[in-house]
Structures are given as structure tokens and as C-alpha cells.
């Protein structure tokens, strides 16, 4: 196979190469299309991450509450439910099965559903991390908070979660990278993101290798950016004088 | 509610025709990739922790590279490029197995690295003080403990791996999810097929994780 | 080394087949059937005869629209008889046998729908399948007819059909044979209809490796033989005019004029030349 | 001030407190000692309800700790507690450690809280370290900050759970010094500790617990140290062991 | 038996050992003390090459530790070492802890190793616990197993790094007892410890280190404890602090 990078400058209707590579006046080249697809990928991933962090934190906290069987069970059920079914199947259920029970959901665009599906799927994993982060903190930390008169909520808000999040930043980084990669399932519900672009564009242009290479590069770029941002956050949050944050020793 | 489910097509024949073959492949792929991934992942982790620049740099690049590309792309690239490199065709199944081992090694290496780092330095010193060589210390002291500590995380990755085997669709291999999908398509009952897949996956993965939790309790290091 | 030599030396040929399309699908358990699948088997049987082999093992390799071209190029499959449109872009990477089926891209709607032709789609939601040429066809028509409609894409044909079925989409634009197959297999086939309008014609042909004239000639000869002795028409009727497995539905799709025309004048014109007509 | 009446506690089938009763007056300094696992920490934690118990009653300044209707956070905010491993909040600076609970729990404004906190920091002699983080301090300094943190809540009683046992030997002194001066100022204190020198010097009473959470001894320090013959055999054995080396 | 000659060590720019020299005869018991971070652990670990150093020489029984050609695992197998946190292998039973290095390092067969290991376990009085796991033992018991593990390698010298500082006070005695009996049997020992009772009783010599890894004192225990006026001011201050409470 020979290379043909001109393919990105083609108009996606006439298949003719456009000078300047960007379409004018409503015309769309494959490059335009790919960049907008990248935008969709990033949007899906970031919003899903937001949902995942929110629910993951709540569920993770529920699973560490002292003496409360009910919330513990609920948290466990949440995690097991969302991590033991393949993401693609979950999306299908969100899109085709649940609206059959709640017709109002039919009006929701695929984008919203996929944000929730991916967000909940990821929240199960983040909940695990939040829980283990809280568990690695010395038991005395919770005690100290309570002894000062903090309510349970205050204890998590001011004492446990700030440290737990610092501890779990490395696995959390992996997880945010996973969200970007997993966002590719959004193609299944017609979100015009990178994977959908790749599948469609390679069909139309028959330049699969070039298209997939470019798309892979964009995924790598996203992961890299993501990694740098998390490293920056980790640095900003680093506590002076603290070595081996993971609470080594006692 | 306007969902009428029709399970009439869902016979044992359908199971044996469509699902079992995919199930075998998924399990086989998961098992091989887990074993291979843990083995090579441990090697990569040791390379990254070795303190030797010539071992650390390539291992780090490999691991971070693999972790930033979606698996389906890795599968495709591997499938397309390796035959060009070695000038010989390898089948979809073999290709899937090699790709998964290569990909999972990167993930397991991160897990094992965290596991190794979770072992107090004093344990390493103790092994050394008894006269153990680096490799004896790793084999007898550090890795057995790291592995026990990391079992729950390894399990989680294995469940992900089992679910991810569905991505082999990209190179025309046939896993369990594909089995359900194909059956659903050819009988015009996709909703039922997906629900069945959801239940099957849940039961399998949940049993697996329960099993490993028990196992972990058994072999967990008593502290 | 040509493909014929390869087949002769190894005693086997790799046939690329589809798992769920109008022209080829699987019954599970490694069994692949359908009009084009069976035609491909017959082509290989003829080649076996020509090579004088006692036995020719056919290795079935299921393919998808994403991987079929790379698989042909890198030699995983020798001959692909699925539902691949012959177009110029693909001709850069692979060769096509003579056209054996001319697909018409058409519109399926729910039976009670008021949509009668392309123009009625204005303001509606239309579903089509990711990774197919229908998406492009739709896009061209959209511009040419100055229509405005919402376009959604299913992951695969059954997904797309489900969107039509559940009311998420008002119309499903796709190859006629695929529409017919999905309607026939659905829970209540009488609830859907296919509009008469044809959005475009696409020649479908078996695909093979580029620059292998001997193999191409052998394939073309076999197809011509099948057309000439009427066995291809018989095969067509078996898969489109009679009940088919696994559920025994009848697609009821008589041979179209365009396909007949292609059989009468064997050719491998790409899709672009059909548009010009 | 503190009344512990027939308190018993079980973990599953295992009894960790057996019918414990004691009474602490305002201004008393009570030392609790005993072998590991005897329930010293558990007992002291029942007093500010950090450990729930199944039987018995505890009153602190007239408030019923065992009553489900009691506002426990409020009660706890009036009882200072110092832990073996300091348990400063590692992500907060020393000043933030000292003020956060004043602001969030007592509702003081930031200026008042800071003033009060720094005053207590001065009291333990660490004003110079007010902007450092716990990880940048030595163990002895961390423990002194922890004491200042508890004091800045204006507690009516201070509980100490082995405050010196995680410290390097050289730093034990500086922490004991702070505790001693607190005692001399009349603070009501209950200390789990094995520092017998401290017990002999400043305590008013000594409680000895044995495994199973039994209060074997509860007597004045003069009786405890001065009349070994009047003590239980288990107490004597324990004292012999820890005073030997 | 052990020669430490002008050893210096840096972490980056920070010097943690400064020109340390000392000599230990067969049968001597040397106690090392000093403030936290003064480099006691670092010094003791240079002797079996657990800590590399940049300058100076160390000889153990004539073997040059600093020589890159020396077979360090072999050297280490002849030097017993006991750590502050025991460092038993938690995934192995007590017996396995005692035999694994004998088998894998010394190449003894399993029967001999077990016999030797159990003999040492008996010596520390824990035969009854031979099938337990470390996590099921108390701290004092774990430390005694750790001593037995080191002894079962037939070491020519034993190094102790604060063997009692992580123990409950009641358990300190049982470990010191084992160490004392070892000393009386003539084992060459080097102990980092703050148990001044032990130092007074069994040591032949005391080394005092100060921050920066400087050997401030290296004298007989009689001089060290008997003539405070002849000691450096820093030494006196340290002794005052840790003997005070
Ligand atoms: N969460 C728990 N579950 C079961 N048993 C527990 C739990 N917490 C403590 N125990 C047991 O309760 C008993 C008393 O524990 P406690 O910590 O009060 O002892 P202690 O006297 O403070 O000992 P130490 O000197 O070691 O601190 C011990 O036997 C301990 O094993
Ligand atoms: N890996 C390291 N990197 C940098 N500095 C280190 C490292 N390990 C130890 N140090 C420093 O070396 C110095 C000596 O440490 P060492 O552990 O030998 O002291 P020590 O006398 O044993 O103290 P302690 O009584 O606390 O055990 C300390 O200042 C310590 O901070
Ligand atoms: Mg305690
Ligand atoms: Mg030390």
C-alpha cells in the first residue's frame, strides 16, 4: 500500500481535493470532520469523567461509612452492576431498553445517554479507588476528625477525601485515560466522535491506514495532554514534607 | 411500556451455535492474556524499577504508549503491520492473542509496579541481609507478597479484559459478545440478545470476582 | 507467487464472508450461507477443477466493512464474496470480479408513515449504518435536493433497524437487500414498507488481490459460466424468492432490472459510472 | 465531671470492656495503664463516644454519652483528644490544623480562630513553625501541635492515648513537659501511658486494666506505687516487667 | 573482626556519615546511640553492605565490603541482622521464615535447615508457635523469631537496629533477655538501641553519633556512663534527656 495523505483534504461529498484542506462555505473536508470528531471525543470523555467523579466519590464514600449496612450494600451493588457488564452492552441498554420503560428518555440525544452510560461505568471503578484511598488512610485520621467534633460529612469533606484523592491520583490518571479511550463506544449511539469518523471515512475513501493512523495519533495526543494535566494537578496538590503519600509505615 | 420481549428464538441450539464458540474464545483469550500479561508485566515492572536507564526508558515508553492507544487500534495495527514486518500471515486468533498479551502487559506492569512498591523497603533489606541475591529476593520475598496484595486489582483488570475481548471484532475474530450479537441480528431480536448478553456477562464476571475475593481472603497476607 | 499457485500449493483457499448482511450471513457454529457466500464456494469449486486438485479446503474468514480491504491486501483472504461495492477508491487497492449483483439504495419506513419519497424526508430523522456508502449517498442527496433532515447512524444494520422500529428514526436508508432482510426477520414484517424510489445504484462484486490476472480470469470465467448455464439465477431465487434459514422467511425480492442488465453484459464498472447514467 | 458506670463492650463474642466503672473529678489527672490489648484505648474512647458500647452509662459534664439523642459532635468538640500517632491532618498547614475545627465546628470566625490557635501554638513553644506542614516537623513537634489543636477548642477535659509511645526517646521529654504543665494548671486529664515517671510525678490516680477490659486497680498514685503488696498479682507482674529495663 | 575505616556517605549533597572509623573485636558487644537521623541505621547497614558508601573501607572478618568484586550475598549470609520492624516475611510460616534462606542461600537441605531452625526457635522459647504466621504473633514474639532467623544462618556477628523500639513496653523485656543471653554466650554484636539499661548491663563499648553521621564518642561503657564530665556537651544533653523520664 502506498501513502496518500491528500485524503484529508478531500471534500466529503465530491471527494475532490480542496486547496487549503479546510472546506469553505458549508463544505466539509475529512480534516474538518476529523477535528470536529476529536471535539466530540473530548466532550464525551470530559463530561463522562465529571459524572464518574461525582458518582464514584459518593459511592466510594458510601462503602466506607462506619456501621451502615444499607449504604454499604447499595454501594457494593452499584459497583458490581456497572463493572460486570461490558460497556457496549450497557450503552445498548441505555439507548434501546430503558427508553421502552421510560418513553420520555427517547427524546434524549445519544450524546447525553452515552455520557451517563460511560460515566456510570467509570464511576464503579472510581468508587473502588476512592474506597481504597480512604481505607489506606490511618484509622486515626477519622477518629481525630470526629474527636474534634466534625460531623461525618465534615470528616469526609475536610479530612478524609482531601488526602484520599491525593493518594489515588496515579490510578485516577489511568482512569481518565481510560475514559478517553472508552469514549469510542459513543459511535454506537451515533455520536460523531473519532471512532465513528474513522469507520465512516475509511469506508468512503478506502484510505484506512492513513485515517486510522491519524485517529490513533489524536488519541495518543489526548492521552498525553491528559497525563500532563494530571501531573500538574498532582504537583499542585503535593503536600510539603510528605514522602510516599500512600501512608507507608504507620 | 412498549417493549415486548420475544424469547422464542432463544433455544439451546442457538446457544451452542452462536455463543459457546465465542465463550471459549473469550475465556481462552482472557486466560492466556492474563498469564502472559502478568509474566511480561512483571518483567516490565522490574525493568522500570531497576534504576538502570537502559532498561527503564524503553519499558516506560512501551508502557505509556500502550496505555494511551485504544485497544481496538492496537489490535488493528498489530494485525495490519506485523504481517508486513515479518512477511508472513498470522491468523486472526493468533494475532489477537499476541496483541492482548502485549497490551495487557502494559496494564499489569503498572499494577505489579504498584504492588512491588507497596512492599516495605525493610522486607527487601531483610532478604538481602539473609544473603539473598536480587533475583532470589524478588522471587521469594517481594513478588509473592506483591502478587497477594494486588490480587483484587489484578482481578478487576481481568474482568475488564474479559469484557474487552469483544474488541476482536475489528479483525474478524469471534468472541462471546459477538456470538450474542450475531444471533440477535440473524433472528431479528437484538434487544433480547443484548439483554441475554448482559445477564450472562454479569453472572460470569460476578462469580469470578466473588471467587477471587474468597481466594484473596484465603491467601491474603496476615498482618 | 499468484493466488492460483498459492491455492494449488496449500490445497486451501481463504474465502472472506459476511456474518450478517443481505448477501451472506452465518447460521452459527462456523456455518456461512447466503447468495454470495454460496456463489463464492462455486467459484472455488470451478478453480479446484481447473487446477486439477482432488480436494480444496475452504477456510471461511468472517470479515467486516472495516477490515475487508486490509485483509485482501495482506493476504489473509484470497477471495471476498460478501457485499462489497465496487468503487474507484477501492480499485486502487484491490481488483473486482465482474458485477454479480446491483444493489439499489432505498428507503424503508413504517407502514403507517406518510413518507412517500425522498422529498418527504424533509425535517425528519433518518437512520443509516456507520461504515456504509449509504451515508455518503444520503449526504449527496441532501445537498442536491436541498433537504434538511437529522441523520443518525446505527452501529450496524440491526441497530439501525431497531431505531426505525422504536420510533427514534422515521426512515432507514440502506441497500435494498439489507432492508428486505431486516424487515423479513422482524417481529411484524407487515409494519414496514420499502419505498419505490432508488437513491443510487451500486455494483456489488467479489473482491480479490490486485494485479493477479490469472486468478481474476479464473474467477470471472466461473461467474460467466454460472450466468450462462442459469445456475446463478437458480441460486438467486433460492436465496431471495424462497424461505431461507434460520427462521424460514421469504424475502420475496425478484431479480432487479439492473442486476439482470449486469449479468447480460458482464462488466466490472465501478459505482461512479453508474451514477453518471 | 466524668462518670463511667458499668460499661461493657463486645466485638462479636469477644468482650473488650467488662463492667468498667470510674469517676473523675474536675482537675484530676488519671493515668491508665495495662498490657497491650487490655482495652485502654477502647475505654478512653468511650468517653467521647468514639467507641460505642452495648451496656452501661457514661456522663461527661452531665451529658449522657450513651443516649442516642445526644448531639455527639457537640459533645466531642468539648473533649480534647490526643492520639498515639498525632493524627494531624497532613494536607493542612499547622495553622490550618489549629483553626479548621474552630471555624467549621465551633463557628468561630477565621481571625478569632487564628488568634486562639496561635496562642496555643505559642504555649507549646512552636510559633516559629506555624506555616509548616506536619510532614516537615519531627514527631515530638507534631505531637505538641496536636495538643495545641485540642486545646484551641477550649476543652473541659483532655484525653491522651499513649501520646509518647510513637516518639523517639529524645522527644518524649518535650511532650511530657507540655502535659505536666497542663496538669499543673488544673486541666482535667485522662492519660493512657506507660511513662511511669510521669504517672508518679503528676497523676492523682492510676487505673490498671487487664486483658478483657477489666479494671483491676483504681487507686491513688500513692497506693499504686507505694504499696505494691496491696496490689493484685497481675499488676505487680506488669510493673516489674516495665520498670525492669 | 570488623574494621570501619574513614567511611563517609552522602545522599546528594547531604552528608549522612562523616569519616566514621571504629574497630570491633570478636566477642565484643557494642551499643550505638544518638539522636534521630544521626546515621545510626546507616552506619550499621554499611557493615553488611546494605547501604553503599562513597568513601572509606569496611572489612568484615577480613573480607573487603567496599570492594566491587566481593560476593555480597555470601558476605551478608554470614552477618545476622535484626530490624526495628522485625521484617519477618508475612507470607511464610514461622518455620518457613527460619529455613528459606538456609535452603536457598546456604544450600542446606530441607531437613537440616528445619532442624537448625527449630533449635534456634527453641532457644528464643517459641517452639509452640512454629506453624503460625508472623501476623498471628505479638510484636515481641515476632522479634524473637527474627532473631532466631538470623541465628539459624550461623552468623559470625549480629547487627541489631533498634530491636525494641517498635515494641509494647511489656514486650521489651523478653527481647532484651534473648539479646543478653546471646551476649553472655560470646556472640559478637553491634546494637543500635536506646535501652540504656541494656547498654549498662551487657555492652563492652558505647558509640555515640550526632547528626551528620559523626562519631562523637567511642569508649568503654564504664567511661561512657561513669564519667559524664569527660563526655562531649552534646552527649551529656542527649543522656540527660533520655534518662530523665
Ligand atoms: N475493630 C475491632 N474488632 C475486633 N476487635 C477489636 C477491634 N478493635 C479492638 N479490638 C480488640 O479489643 C481489645 C482492646 O483493644 P484496645 O485497642 O482498646 O487495647 P489497648 O489496651 O489500647 O492496647 P494497646 O496498648 O495495644 O493500644 C483488643 O483485644 C483488640 O484486639
Ligand atoms: N534514601 C535517603 N535519601 C536521602 N536521605 C536519607 C535517605 N535515607 C536516610 N537519609 C537521611 O540520612 C540520615 C541518617 O539516617 P539514619 O536512618 O541512618 O538515621 P538514624 O540515626 O538511624 O535515625 P533513627 O533513630 O530515626 O532511626 C537522616 O538524616 C536521613 O534523613
Ligand atoms: Mg491503645
Ligand atoms: Mg534508624
Amino acid at each position: 500500500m502506498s501513502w496518500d495523505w491528500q485524503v484529508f483534504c478531500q471534500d466529503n461529498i465530491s471527494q475532490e481535493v480542496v486547496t487549503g484542506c479546510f472546506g469553505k462555505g458549508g463544505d466539509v473536508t475529512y480534516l474538518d470532520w476529523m477535528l470536529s470528531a476529536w471535539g466530540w471525543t473530548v466532550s464525551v470523555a470530559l463530561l463522562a469523567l465529571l459524572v464518574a467523579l461525582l458518582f464514584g466519590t459518593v459511592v466510594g464514600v458510601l462503602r466506607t461509612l462506619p456501621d451502615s449496612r444499607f449504604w454499604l450494600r447499595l454501594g457494593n451493588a452499584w459497583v458490581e452492576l456497572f463493572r460486570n457488564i461490558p460497556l457496549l452492552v450497557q450503552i445498548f441498554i441505555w439507548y434501546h431498553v430503558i427508553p421502552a420503560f421510560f418513553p420520555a428518555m427517547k427524546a434524549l440525544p445519544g450524546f447525553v445517554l452515552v455520557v451517563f452510560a460511560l460515566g456510570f461505568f467509570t464511576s464503579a471503578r472510581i468508587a473502588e479507588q476512592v474506597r481504597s484511598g480512604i481505607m489506606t488512610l490511618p484509622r486515626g485520621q477519622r477518629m481525630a476528625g470526629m474527636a474534634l467534633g466534625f460531623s461525618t460529612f465534615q470528616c469526609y469533606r475536610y479530612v478524609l477525601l482531601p488526602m484520599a484523592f491525593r493518594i489515588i491520583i496515579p490510578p485516577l490518571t489511568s482512569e481518565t485515560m481510560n475514559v478517553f479511550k472508552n469514549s469510542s463506544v459513543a459511535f454506537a449511539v451515533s455520536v460523531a466522535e473519532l471512532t465513528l469518523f474513522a469507520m465512516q471515512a475509511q469506508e468512503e475513501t478506502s484510505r484506512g491506514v492513513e485515517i486510522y493512523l491519524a485517529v490513533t495519533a489524536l488519541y495518543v495526543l489526548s492521552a498525553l495532554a491528559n497525563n500532563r494535566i494530571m501531573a500538574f494537578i498532582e504537583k499542585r496538590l503535593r503536600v510539603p514534607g510528605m514522602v510516599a503519600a500512600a501512608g507507608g509505615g504507620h | 411500556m412498549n417493549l415486548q420481549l420475544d424469547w422464542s428464538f432463544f433455544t439451546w441450539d442457538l446457544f451452542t451455535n452462536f455463543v459457546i464458540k465465542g465463550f471459549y474464545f473469550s475465556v481462552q483469550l482472557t486466560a492466556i492474556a492474563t498469564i502472559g500479561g502478568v509474566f511480561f508485566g512483571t518483567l516490565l515492572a522490574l525493568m522500570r524499577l531497576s534504576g538502570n536507564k537502559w532498561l527503564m526508558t524503553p519499558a516506560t515508553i512501551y508502557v505509556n504508549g500502550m496505555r494511551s492507544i485504544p485497544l481496538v487500534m492496537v489490535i488493528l495495527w498489530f494485525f495490519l503491520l506485523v504481517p508486513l514486518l515479518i512477511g508472513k500471515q498470522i491468523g486472526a486468533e493468533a494475532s489477537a492473542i499476541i496483541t492482548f498479551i502485549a497490551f495487557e502487559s502494559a496494564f499489569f506492569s503498572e499494577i505489579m509496579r504498584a504492588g512491588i512498591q507497596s512492599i516495605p523497603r525493610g522486607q527487601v533489606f531483610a532478604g538481602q541481609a539473609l544473603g539473598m541475591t536480587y533475583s532470589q529476593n524478588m522471587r521469594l520475598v517481594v513478588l509473592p507478597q506483591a502478587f497477594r496484595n494486588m490480587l483484587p486489582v489484578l482481578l478487576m483488570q481481568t474482568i475488564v479484559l474479559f469484557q474487552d475481548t469483544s474488541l476482536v471484532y475489528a479483525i474478524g475474530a469471534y468472541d462471546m459478545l459477538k456470538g450474542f450479537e450475531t444471533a440477535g441480528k440473524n433472528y431479528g431480536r437484538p434487544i433480547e440478545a443484548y439483554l441475554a448478553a448482559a445477564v450472562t456477562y454479569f453472572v460470569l464476571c460476578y462469580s469470578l470476582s466473588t471467587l477471587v475475593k474468597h481466594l484473596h481472603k484465603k491467601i491474603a497476607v496476615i498482618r | 507467487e499468484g493466488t492460483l499457485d498459492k491455492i494449488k500449493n496449500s490445497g486451501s483457499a481463504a474465502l472472506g464472508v459476511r456474518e450478517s448482511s443481505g448477501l451472506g450471513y452465518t447460521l452459527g457454529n462456523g456455518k456461512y450461507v447466503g447468495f454470495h457466500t454460496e456463489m463464492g464456494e462455486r467459484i472455488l469449486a470451478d478453480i479446484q477443477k481447473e487446477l486439477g486438485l482432488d480436494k480444496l479446503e475452504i477456510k471461511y474468514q468472517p470479515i467486516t466493512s472495516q477490515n475487508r480491504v486490509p485483509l485482501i491486501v495482506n493476504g489473509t483472504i484470497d477471495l471476498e464474496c460478501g457485499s462489497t461495492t465496487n468503487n474507484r477508491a477501492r480499485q486502487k487497492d484491490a481488483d473486482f470480479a465482474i458485477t454479480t449483483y446491483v444493489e439499489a439504495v432505498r428507503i424503508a419506513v413504517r407502514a403507517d408513515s406518510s413518507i412517500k419519497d425522498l422529498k418527504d424526508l424533509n425535517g425528519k430523522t433518518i437512520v443509516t449504518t456507520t461504515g456504509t456508502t449509504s451515508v455518503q449517498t444520503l449526504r449527496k442527496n441532501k445537498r442536491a435536493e436541498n433537504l434538511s433532515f437529522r441523520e443518525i447512524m446505527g452501529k450496524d444494520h440491526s441497530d439501525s433497524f431497531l431505531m426505525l422500529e422504536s420510533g427514534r428514526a422515521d426512515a432507514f436508508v440502506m441497500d435494498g437487500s439489507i432492508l428486505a432482510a431486516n424487515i423479513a426477520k422482524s417481529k411484524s414484517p407487515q409494519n414496514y414498507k420499502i419505498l419505490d424510489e432508488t437513491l443510487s445504484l451500486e455494483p456489488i462484486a467479489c473482491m480479490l488481490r490486485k494485479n493477479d490476472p490469472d486468478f481474476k480470469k479464473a474467477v470471472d470465467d466461473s461467474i460467466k459460466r454460472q450466468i450462462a448455464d442459469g445456475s446463478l439465477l437458480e441460486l438467486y431465487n433460492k436465496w431471495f424468492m424462497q424461505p431461507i434459514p434460520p427462521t424460514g422467511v421469504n424475502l420475496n425480492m425478484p431479480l432487479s432490472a439492473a442486476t439482470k442488465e449486469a449479468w447480460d453484459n458482464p462488466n466490472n464498472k465501478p459505482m461512479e459510472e453508474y451514477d453518471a447514467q | 465531671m466524668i462518670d463511667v458506670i458499668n460499661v461493657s463492650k463486645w466485638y462479636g463474642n469477644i468482650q473488650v470492656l467488662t463492667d468498667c466503672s470510674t469517676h473523675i473529678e474536675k482537675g484530676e489527672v488519671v493515668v491508665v495503664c495495662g498490657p497491650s490489648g487490655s482495652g485502654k484505648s477502647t475505654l478512653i474512647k468511650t468517653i467521647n463516644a468514639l467507641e460505642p458500647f452495648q451496656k452501661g452509662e457514661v456522663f461527661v459534664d452531665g451529658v449522657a454519652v450513651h443516649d442516642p439523642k445526644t448531639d455527639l459532635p457537640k459533645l466531642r468538640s468539648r473533649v480534647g483528644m490526643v492520639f498515639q500517632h498525632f493524627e494531624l491532618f497532613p494536607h493542612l498547614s499547622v495553622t490550618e490544623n489549629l483553626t479548621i475545627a474552630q471555624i467549621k465546628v465551633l463557628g468561630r470566625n477565621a481571625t478569632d480562630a487564628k488568634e486562639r490557635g496561635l496562642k496555643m501554638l505559642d504555649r507549646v513553644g512552636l510559633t516559629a513553625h506555624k506555616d509548616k506542614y506536619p510532614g516537615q516537623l519531627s514527631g515530638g513537634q507534631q505531637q505538641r501541635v496536636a495538643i495545641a489543636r485540642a486545646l484551641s477548642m477550649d476543652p473541659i477535659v483532655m484525653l491522651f492515648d499513649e501520646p509518647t509511645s510513637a516518639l523517639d526517646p529524645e522527644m518524649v521529654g518535650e511532650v511530657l513537659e507540655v502535659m505536666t504543665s497542663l496538669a499543673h494548671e488544673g486541666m482535667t486529664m485522662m492519660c493512657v501511658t506507660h511513662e511511669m515517671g510521669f504517672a508518679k510525678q503528676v497523676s492523682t490516680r492510676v487505673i490498671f486494666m487487664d486483658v478483657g477490659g477489666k479494671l483491676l486497680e483504681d487507686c491513688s498514685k500513692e497506693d499504686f506505687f507505694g504499696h505494691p503488696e496491696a496490689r493484685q498479682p497481675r499488676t505487680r507482674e506488669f510493673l516489674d516487667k516495665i520498670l525492669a529495663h
Side-chain angles (χ1 to χ4, degrees), chain C residues 60-128:
Chain C
Y60 294 91
Q61 170 70 52
I63 48 125
T64 66
S65 46
Q66 287 89 48
N67 67 19
R68 58 193 165 192
V69 175
L71 288 179
I72 277 284
V73 172
N74 78 7
T76 307
I77 51 179
D78 300 314
L79 179 66
E80 188 264 354
C81 293
S83 49
T84 302
T85 304
N86 175 351
N87 65 21
R88 285 223 174 94
R90 290 201 187 110
Q91 283 190 0
K92 288 184 202 153
D93 292 319
D95 273 346
F96 284 87
I98 56 175
T99 298
T100 38
Y101 183 82
V102 178
E103 187 66 87
V105 173
R106 299 172 67 177
I107 305 169
V109 295
R110 283 184 298 279
D112 57 8
S113 162
S114 60
I115 298 171
K116 287 187 202 62
D117 58 16
L118 186 67
K119 300 216 167 43
D120 290 340
L121 292 178
N122 209 7
K124 296 286 197 302
T125 301
I126 301 174
V127 64
T128 170

Side-chain angles (χ1 to χ4, degrees), chain D residues 35-42 44-45 84 161-162 165 192 194:
Chain D
S36 177
S38 57
K40 307 179 294 296
S41 302
T42 309
I44 204 172
K45 282 181 190 149
Q84 181 176 14
D161 189 4
E162 308 205 33
S165 66
V192 177
H194 292 115

Side-chain angles (χ1 to χ4, degrees), chain B residues 64-179:
Chain B
N64 287 339
M66 274 293 182
R67 293 200 315 149
S68 49
I69 307 175
L71 177 54
V72 59
M73 296 287 167
V74 181
I75 295 174
L76 265 170
W77 286 125
F78 205 84
F79 192 61
L80 298 179
L81 295 182
V82 168
L84 294 180
L85 290 178
I86 63 172
K88 200 172 140 255
Q89 192 48 49
I90 46 175
E93 259 92 40
S95 169
I97 287 172
I98 299 172
T99 314
F100 268 75
I101 292 179
F103 188 76
E104 292 303 321
S105 300
F107 282 82
F108 284 125
S109 99
E110 283 300 279
I111 296 172
M112 286 312 286
R113 190 161 72 106
I116 292 170
Q117 282 175 329
S118 77
I119 307 302
R121 271 171 60 80
Q123 289 283 308
V124 181
F125 278 138
Q128 283 180 354
L130 286 168
M132 289 184 191
T133 60
Y134 177 79
S135 85
Q136 283 177 327
N137 215 346
M138 278 296 158
R139 270 187 298 118
L140 303 173
V141 178
V142 178
L143 290 180
Q145 292 185 59
F147 195 75
R148 281 170 169 82
N149 287 353
M150 283 300 149
L151 203 59
V153 191
L154 285 172
L155 159 78
M156 218 156 86
Q157 182 61 24
T158 306
I159 290 179
V160 172
L161 175 58
F162 183 64
Q163 295 174 7
D164 277 355
T165 53
S166 57
L167 297 176
V168 293
Y169 78 82
I171 53 174
Y174 188 102
D175 83 309
M176 185 163 91
L177 186 55
K178 178 91 167 221

Side-chain angles (χ1 to χ4, degrees), chain C residues 182-241:
Chain C
N182 273 286
I183 291 175
K185 284 184 292 189
S186 73
K187 279 172 196 155
S188 13
Q190 71 280 6
N191 286 358
Y192 310 93
K193 64 183 179 197
I194 299 177
L195 303 183
D196 292 332
E197 185 161 5
T198 296
L199 299 189
S200 76
L201 288 176
E202 296 186 6
I204 310 285
C206 291
M207 187 165 61
L208 40 104
R209 236 179 321 288
K210 213 168 164 54
N211 301 329
D212 193 344
D214 294 344
F215 185 54
K216 178 167 162 46
K217 180 167 184 309
V219 172
D220 284 349
D221 286 352
S222 169
I223 297 171
K224 282 178 196 158
R225 195 255 324 145
Q226 293 183 46
I227 295 172
D229 65 13
S231 58
L232 194 63
L233 182 62
E234 238 171 74
L235 192 63
Y236 180 91
N237 288 337
K238 173 180 168 191
W239 288 103
F240 291 103
M241 299 300 288

